[in-house]
């Protein structure tokens, strides 16, 4: 079977592209994003692997990866990608597809009380915005 | 010249060590910071999807307030700077989102835009003409930039994201010695540390070890989240791995305050869990015994 844009283009891939403003077929799988990703060793698949899943139309699988939650939006990938793909935005669109489905990843009230007391507001607000939607 | 100062949610509450030294250094150097009227938390993260303009509301309002005061907006926290500057950049380019926000907030965004500055830039220009009374001689400082100040460069325009120089320049102006190390622009793990500490711990291990190998005695940052992750993960690592040696972390304004001989009342060490005082002992004000 020959892969083509039309064949793998699902409704969800279009949604990811709209939300992220990125074209998943723009990525040519060089792996530079992964090479500089501080969280790559906690991801499987790694960032360019997530891009590959999307290129193959496998959005649901991409949504089940640890990468979606471990991504710290550090923009290293985006600022180095030779194809100008903003992978941080792609990761955000996958997170939002899950969170908007109604299931928060973290509920602030579920965090340890001791952590809630000590963590600075910036940490708590960021955490709530990224993991609660 | 007066500036509209946006303190952000963290400085006035849990990071008084940062806030006190911002206010003191500004007074000392004649930088007029006037706190912005009725500001709200910048919402901490810049929305990365094209369809979530609500994440921009607080920074949109802050920008309009600064404009109405007729001033540039100044902030010290990397997070606030990142979010507000990117919002200003977006407002200049995305008419549809701007109109949505204008309709929602019932306020008009100034067509000429609003200038967003980081306090580090103001300090750099003020310090050019000041001889610090307490030069931080022989103190080896590792500037830790992290992500939020630098990337994306085309929107933030702060410094070179791969080889930034501003904090090193500041360190030199204070008479200290900047230490270049490989991980100074790497991420600390950011908010992911609240979900899973492993990622942040690995990131912090790499950052601190690399700074230490290069000879740093202290790290400086402008981000409360970096400050938190550096301390929290370093302490956790040190309990498990006896060979891991943490480094104390200071805000860049604390370093400036030391060099400008700030009085003891402006130096609040209570937020530090890795005490920086031994590393900067030679530059601390003498505390008079009662
Ligand atoms: S750096 Fe860009 S082009 Fe290369 S694999 Fe990553 S997303 Fe694809
Ligand atoms: S933004 Fe996410 S995917 Fe990209 S380098 Fe940073 S942590 Fe990795």
């Amino acid at each position: 079977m020959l892969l083509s844009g039309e064949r793998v283009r699902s409704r969800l891939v279009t949604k990811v592209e709209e939300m992220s403003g990125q074209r998943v077929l723009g990525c040519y799988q060089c792996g530079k994003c992964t090479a500089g990703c501080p969280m790559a060793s906690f991801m499987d698949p790694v960032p360019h692997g997530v891009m590959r899943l999307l290129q193959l139309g496998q959005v649901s699988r991409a949504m089940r990866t640890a990468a979606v939650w471990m991504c710290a939006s550090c923009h290293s990938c985006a600022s180095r990608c030779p194809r100008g793909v903003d992978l941080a935005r792609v990761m955000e669109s996958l997170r939002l597809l899950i969170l908007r489905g109604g299931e928060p990843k973290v509920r602030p009230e579920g965090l340890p009380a001791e952590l809630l007391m000590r963590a600075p507001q910036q940490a708590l607000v960021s955490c709530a915005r990224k993991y609660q939607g | 010249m007066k500036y509209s100062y946006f303190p952000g949610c963290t400085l006035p509450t849990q990071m008084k060590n940062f806030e006190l030294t911002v206010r003191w250094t500004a007074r000392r150097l004649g930088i007029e910071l006037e706190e912005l009227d009725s500001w709200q938390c910048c919402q901490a993260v810049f929305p990365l999807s094209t369809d979530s303009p609500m994440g921009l509301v607080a920074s949109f309002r802050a920008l309009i307030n600064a404009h109405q005061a007729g001033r540039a907006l100044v902030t010290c926290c990397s997070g606030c700077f990142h979010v507000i500057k990117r919002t200003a950049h977006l407002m200049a380019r995305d008419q549809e989102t701007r109109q949505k926000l204008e309709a929602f907030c019932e306020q008009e965004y100034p067509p000429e835009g609003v200038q967003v500055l980081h306090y580090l830039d103001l300090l750099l220009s003020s310090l050019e003409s000041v001889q610090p009374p307490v030069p931080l001689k022989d103190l080896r400082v590792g500037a830790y930039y992290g992500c939020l100040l630098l990337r994306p460069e085309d929107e933030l325009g702060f410094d070179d994201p791969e080889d930034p120089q501003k904090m090193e320049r500041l360190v030199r102006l204070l008479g200290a010695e900047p230490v270049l190390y490989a991980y100074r622009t790497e991420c600390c793990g950011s908010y992911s540390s609240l979900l899973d500490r492993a990622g942040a711990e690995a990131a912090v291990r790499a950052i601190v070890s690399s700074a230490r190998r290069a000879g740093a005695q202290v790290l400086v940052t402008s981000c409360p989240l970096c400050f938190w992750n550096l301390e929290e993960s370093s302490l956790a690592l040190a309990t498990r791995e006896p060979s891991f040696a943490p480094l104390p972390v200071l805000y860049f304004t604390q370093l400036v305050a030391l060099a400008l001989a700030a009085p003891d009342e402006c130096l609040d060490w209570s937020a530090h869990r890795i005490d920086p005082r031994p590393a900067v002992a030679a530059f601390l004000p003498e505390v008079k015994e009662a």
Side-chain angles (χ1 to χ4, degrees):
Chain A
M1 182 181 81
L2 272 181
L3 284 175
S4 66
E6 291 72 54
R7 207 182 279 271
V8 298
R9 188 142 301 264
S10 65
R11 191 182 55 80
L12 270 179
V13 173
T14 310
K15 187 77 193 153
V16 166
E17 293 199 328
E18 276 171 15
M19 287 168 76
S20 65
Q22 309 302 306
R23 278 181 45 252
V24 298
L25 289 175
C27 160
Y28 59 13
Q29 288 290 297
C30 66
K32 196 168 182 182
C33 46
T34 301
C37 173
M39 296 294 149
S41 50
F42 299 89
M43 299 174 174
D44 182 16
V46 288
H48 74 286
V50 173
M51 285 306 288
R52 189 63 184 149
L53 285 177
L54 296 175
Q55 291 179 334
L56 297 172
Q58 312 246 341
V59 183
S60 312
R61 270 182 70 189
M63 285 163 67
R64 287 195 299 272
T65 60
V68 168
W69 305 113
M70 289 310 287
C71 167
S73 305
C74 76
H75 289 87
S76 295
C77 51
S79 77
R80 293 173 187 162
C81 172
R83 297 282 295 153
V85 176
D86 190 333
L87 190 40
R89 286 187 178 271
V90 173
M91 293 290 191
E92 178 108 328
S93 65
L94 295 173
R95 271 191 299 272
L96 286 176
L97 280 175
I98 302 167
L99 296 171
R100 287 178 187 173
E103 197 41 54
K105 180 72 175 169
V106 168
R107 290 174 205 275
E109 62 274 22
L111 292 172
E114 170 270 345
L115 189 64
L116 285 175
M117 288 300 292
R118 286 191 302 115
Q121 283 91 330
Q122 186 193 2
L124 295 172
V125 178
S126 309
C127 167
R129 301 252 297 119
K130 288 286 179 175
Y131 297 138
Q132 206 179 17
Chain B
M1 190 163 158
K2 274 194 184 169
Y3 299 94
S4 283
Y5 171 50
F6 182 92
C9 62
T10 309
L11 269 67
T13 51
Q14 269 149 307
M15 296 293 173
K16 295 218 176 68
N17 47 348
F18 199 174
E19 167 89 345
L20 283 169
T21 47
V22 168
R23 298 220 183 236
W24 186 84
T25 52
R27 270 197 311 277
R28 166 71 176 73
L29 294 167
I31 302 169
E32 289 183 78
L33 298 181
E34 192 152 311
E35 189 164 325
L36 206 60
D37 272 346
S38 59
W39 58 268
Q40 300 152 309
C41 164
C42 74
Q43 305 179 252
V45 292
F46 184 78
L48 296 176
S49 77
T50 53
D51 61 355
S52 35
M54 290 308 283
L56 301 164
V57 167
S59 42
F60 177 82
R61 286 192 176 130
L63 287 164
I64 291 183
N65 283 353
H67 174 75
Q68 284 170 351
R71 300 183 191 131
L73 185 149
V74 171
T75 185
C76 308
C77 161
S78 301
C80 301
F81 175 73
H82 181 94
V83 175
I84 300 174
K85 182 96 193 227
R86 290 187 81 177
T87 304
H89 185 268
L90 187 71
M91 291 303 99
R93 281 157 191 83
D94 180 348
Q95 201 185 349
E96 192 187 323
T97 306
R98 194 181 71 226
Q99 284 168 347
K100 269 188 200 155
L101 287 167
E102 288 181 333
F104 180 78
C105 298
E106 298 180 339
Q107 278 177 304
E108 216 173 293
Y109 191 78
E112 68 275 29
V114 183
Q115 200 184 7
V116 181
L117 298 170
H118 194 279
Y119 186 55
L120 180 60
D121 277 328
L122 302 186
L123 284 179
L124 282 174
S125 40
S126 300
L127 285 167
E128 292 288 356
S129 52
V130 173
Q131 242 348 308
V134 186
L136 308 177
K137 203 170 154 348
D138 298 330
L139 181 68
R140 294 189 305 277
V141 181
Y144 176 59
Y145 290 85
C147 321
L148 297 172
L149 262 185
L150 300 174
R151 298 183 289 266
E153 185 199 13
D154 55 340
E155 294 174 50
L156 298 174
F158 183 74
D159 209 336
D160 181 339
E162 301 292 348
D163 185 22
Q165 293 298 331
K166 281 188 178 168
M167 286 216 226
E168 284 76 11
R169 235 179 84 209
L170 181 82
V171 167
R172 254 182 244 114
L173 285 170
L174 303 174
E177 187 190 322
V179 169
L180 295 181
Y181 61 102
Y183 282 77
R184 67 202 172 103
T185 64
E186 289 285 312
C187 177
C188 68
S190 189
Y191 52 79
S192 81
S193 60
L194 273 74
L195 179 69
D196 180 343
R197 293 163 57 151
E201 286 181 5
V204 167
R205 181 195 285 110
I207 295 162
V208 173
S209 318
S210 129
R212 221 178 227 297
R213 270 197 305 276
Q217 296 167 294
V218 294
L219 294 175
V220 285
T221 178
S222 69
C223 180
L225 185 46
C226 294
F227 182 95
W228 156 263
N229 275 335
L230 286 167
E231 283 205 338
E232 180 84 359
S233 296
S234 290
L235 291 171
L237 288 167
T239 40
R240 288 202 313 267
E241 303 170 16
S243 62
F244 179 84
L247 277 175
V249 191
L250 293 162
Y251 288 109
F252 66 102
T253 50
Q254 290 181 288
L255 210 59
V256 179
L258 285 177
L260 295 181
D264 200 45
E265 324 65 277
C266 320
L267 301 167
D268 176 5
W269 305 108
S270 62
H272 296 259
R273 284 185 295 149
I274 303 170
D275 193 347
R277 280 172 291 187
V280 298
F283 319 111
L284 291 173
E286 274 178 44
V287 183
K288 292 182 191 64
E289 299 292 331

